Each structure stands twice: as structure tokens, then as C-alpha cells.
Amino acid sequence: MAQVTLELRRVLDGDTVPDSLTESDLLELYRRLVLLRTFDERAVMYQRQGRIGTYAIFWNHEAIQVGATYPLTDDDWIFPSYREGAIGLVRGMPPETLLHWWRGHPAGWWNPADWNIGSIVVPIATQIPHAVGLAWGKRLRGEPVVAVTFFGDGATSEGAFHEGVNFAAVTGAPVVFVCNNNQWAISTPLSAQTRAASLADKAIGYGIPGVRVDGLDVLAVYEATREAVERARAGDGPTFIEAVHYRAAPHGTADDPRAYIDLARVEEERARECVGRYDTFLRRLGVLTDEFAQAAKADAETAMRAGIAAAEATPPPDPELLFSNAYVDPPPGFNDG
Ligand SMILES: Cc1ncc(C[n+]2csc(CCOP(=O)(O)OP(=O)(O)O)c2C)c(N)n1
Ligand SMILES: [Mg+2]
């Protein structure tokens, strides 16, 4: 039976840096990891203080998000799920815009065309056909644009996943499918999701390449995505990347995983968390200094403080907005009160 190798691609365990990355790239990757980590940790705190609504935690998913977006140009598109709810930060989107989104404020509804970033999508897998349609359309227009879309292991059981990947394969759409395999769909384990030995095996059925990487290794995710982006841009079609790890934080702020998760596994995973692992790698190479690390953290914290202050200073939306675009012809009596 044809099978993608079960091995995970890794870079951080060695001492070799990908040729395509300069020292300043390595530090920029670090800065982005810290920015996302800080956003996530602060957002959970703000949620606990009642300052934002329910929040999808992405603690330890930062390496996937940073690694898979770094090979992109600003003309390329990103299609996130709720798990990549702060991905705009990698393109300089202000934290308040993203905090507004999690506060349910329309100021968080950015125009995708302003950032080449699709809206944060909650219905599972529906961002996948969006990415494919955009990428195919750009190709038909002769624009050299690539789309990267993120989704979870659970999303691979959805029709939209299969429709999207098959459509991309047959049209040769320039898309990179990044599957964040954290092995849980809320409380449903991967074993209840599929009998396939790996999710990357699904690529075989569509006739596209499938690769597996260590999802806590930012450089491995970067390398796999860079190759996939090059293929896509060269007209060689889509690639499926499975970034494997084990969810080390709750699904979201409304979840208590102690009821179902393997806590020993969580501890192991936290011990190799992705920001610290990259920090250790860069220090071993002599690239990262205390000064840079402290400045990256301080800048991220300042940006978050300013972000929540700006979000909270924005007047609440007009309640009428609930009904805008809801009715062409309002029902009788609708406007009476
Ligand atoms: C179409 C649809 N069905 C069900 C849900 C409820 N739901 C929210 S998150 C989630 C789990 C998704 O798991 P996975 O795709 O692995 O992504 P992860 O949350 O692990 O990043 C489900 C079922 C939903 N949002 N959309
Ligand atoms: Mg999952």
C-alpha cells in the first residue's frame, strides 16, 4: 500500500540552518514566535478578566503558524481557522484589530483584500475551498500568487476538505494545505477521526505530495512550506503538509481537557514547547542574545497593552447592526419599537 513516510521532518535537532535563511531571518522568526506567544498568553488573561469573549488558545501552535507563513510574499494569501486567530500579527496587523474580533466587535472584521488574509473562520474546513478558489482564480488571471490555508486534524473529516483538496489537485491551483494535527478535535481523538496511519497519506488519494513535519519545529515547518510554495508558484500544483504535535493547552477558554486528555503526554509536550526549543537552538548557534530575547518580549507586551487599551477605548457597536443585512423586507412591526 502506498504510504507517506511516517517519519517527521526535523531541523532543530541538528546544527544546520536552511540555506535560504540569513541570521536576520532567524531572529525575525524568533520575534514572530514571541509576538504570537505573548498575544496568546495575554488573550487568555484578558478572557479570564472578562475583557474578551471565548477565545481559541493556540499555545504551542506558534511554530506552525510562523513557519508556514514566513516563505510567503505579501501578495500571497493566508486563510486561517479560529486556531490561527492572531495570524494577522505576522503581517503587522494591529493587535487591537484581532482583539476586537475576539470581543465580537465589528472593528475586528478587516477587509481580507487589505491584508491578503481571509477572515477568521469558525465553521470547520470551510476556509479550504475559499483558499482553493482564490488561488485558482489568481492563476487564471496570470498572477503568481500562492494561498496557504490552515486547518486541524478534525477538519480532514469534513466534506469541504475533500472537495477543496480534490479541486485544487485537478486544477493545479497554487495552494499549500497546512494541517495542524494536534491530535484532538475538542474531545474527539484522532483515532476516532481516521484509520489512516497518517493524515498526509490522504494526499495520495488526490495525487498530490504529502509531507509530515514536527509541528513544534519552526524551521522544519518553514522548509516544508518553502518547498511547497515554490512548487505552487512554478505551476506544479498543491501540497499537503501535516504538522504533527499534541495539543498542550485546552481547546479554548470554555474547555477543561482534564476530562479526556492524556495529561502525561501534555507534560511531555510542554517540556518541548516550540518557542523555548527554537530559543535553545539559536543560542547554541550563538545567534540569539539575552538582549534580543528580552527586547522581543518587551515589545510584544507593550503592543498587547496598547492593543487592549485601544480595543476598550472603541465605542461599542450600535445594536441595530445585529439586524443590518438580515432582511431585505423587514417583517411587519419590525421597525415599530
Ligand atoms: C462545521 C462545524 N462543525 C462543528 C463545529 C464545532 N467545532 C468547533 S472546533 C471543533 C473541533 C475541530 O478540530 P480540529 O479540526 O482538529 O481543529 P483544532 O480545534 O484542533 O485546531 C468542532 C467540531 C464547527 N465549528 N463547525
Ligand atoms: Mg485538532
Side-chain angles (χ1 to χ4, degrees):
M1 203 191 317
Q3 199 175 60
V4 172
T5 169
L6 289 180
E7 258 172 55
L8 303 183
R9 187 164 170 179
R10 293 198 168 94
V11 174
L12 295 184
D13 288 350
D15 289 317
T16 315
V17 172
D19 288 342
S20 52
L21 294 175
T22 63
E23 203 165 299
S24 77
D25 287 317
L26 294 174
L27 289 172
E28 177 58 17
L29 284 162
Y30 181 83
R31 194 190 65 79
R32 293 185 187 192
L33 285 174
V34 171
L35 186 58
L36 284 178
R37 171 64 54 89
T38 308
F39 183 99
D40 188 67
E41 291 182 346
R42 302 299 301 204
V44 172
M45 244 182 266
Y46 295 148
Q47 194 278 338
R48 298 298 187 230
Q49 294 166 353
R51 300 165 81 179
I52 64 173
T54 302
Y55 172 74
I57 303 165
F58 58 80
W59 197 91
N60 219 17
H61 294 69
E62 299 91 341
I64 299 174
Q65 300 179 14
V66 170
T69 49
Y70 203 70
L72 302 178
T73 71
D74 285 347
D75 289 332
D76 293 329
W77 276 69
I78 301 170
F79 287 86
S81 79
Y82 53 84
R83 189 67 66 204
E84 295 77 33
I87 201 72
L89 293 177
V90 305
R91 290 217 166 134
M93 193 182 280
E96 55 267 34
T97 303
L98 300 157
L99 291 165
H100 273 308
W101 196 91
W102 291 103
R103 283 164 60 81
H105 195 293
W109 305 340
W110 68 84
N111 179 352
D114 290 344
W115 295 92
N116 293 344
I117 302 178
S119 306
I120 297 170
V121 160
V122 176
I124 305 300
T126 53
Q127 70 278 18
I128 297 174
H130 299 167
V132 175
L134 182 287
W136 188 42
K138 291 285 187 190
R139 182 144 180 257
L140 291 175
R141 289 185 186 174
E143 296 175 37
V145 168
V146 173
V148 167
T149 183
F150 294 92
F151 51 92
D153 42 296
T156 64
S157 298
E158 290 283 351
F161 164 79
H162 297 281
E163 290 152 14
V165 178
N166 191 54
F167 202 85
V170 295
T171 58
V175 190
V176 183
F177 298 103
V178 179
C179 178
N180 151 38
N181 179 5
N182 62 11
Q183 319 216 22
W184 291 94
I186 315 184
S187 55
T188 302
L190 184 63
S191 57
Q193 209 73 249
T194 182
R195 289 284 176 267
S198 85
L199 293 175
D201 275 352
K202 291 178 188 286
I204 296 166
Y206 299 110
I208 65 171
V211 292
R212 300 187 97 208
V213 298
D214 180 341
L216 302 187
D217 184 332
V218 65
L219 296 185
V221 178
Y222 161 78
E223 272 291 84
T225 315
R226 186 184 58 77
E227 289 167 10
V229 167
E230 269 174 23
R231 285 190 67 245
R233 220 183 297 282
D236 294 333
T239 302
F240 182 98
I241 297 173
E242 179 189 2
V244 183
H245 61 127
Y246 190 89
R247 210 188 69 216
H251 169 77
T253 48
D255 174 44
D256 181 358
R258 285 173 302 181
Y260 59 84
I261 213 159
D262 179 345
L263 289 170
R265 220 27 231 289
V266 168
E267 279 317 303
E268 272 172 38
E269 207 67 354
R270 293 183 80 88
R272 30 179 245 118
E273 60 82 18
C274 67
V275 181
R277 211 166 142 210
Y278 187 54
D279 184 303
T280 306
F281 175 81
L282 289 185
R283 286 177 196 268
R284 196 167 73 230
L285 262 57
V287 172
L288 182 66
T289 59
D290 283 346
E291 200 184 5
F292 188 93
Q294 281 157 12
K297 186 72 190 159
D299 288 351
E301 284 172 350
T302 303
M304 284 306 290
R305 272 194 292 272
I308 195 75
E312 290 180 334
T314 306
D318 183 347
E320 284 276 320
L321 190 64
L322 271 178
F323 303 103
S324 323
N325 307 311
Y327 297 108
V328 173
D329 300 312
F334 183 76
N335 292 319
D336 292 351

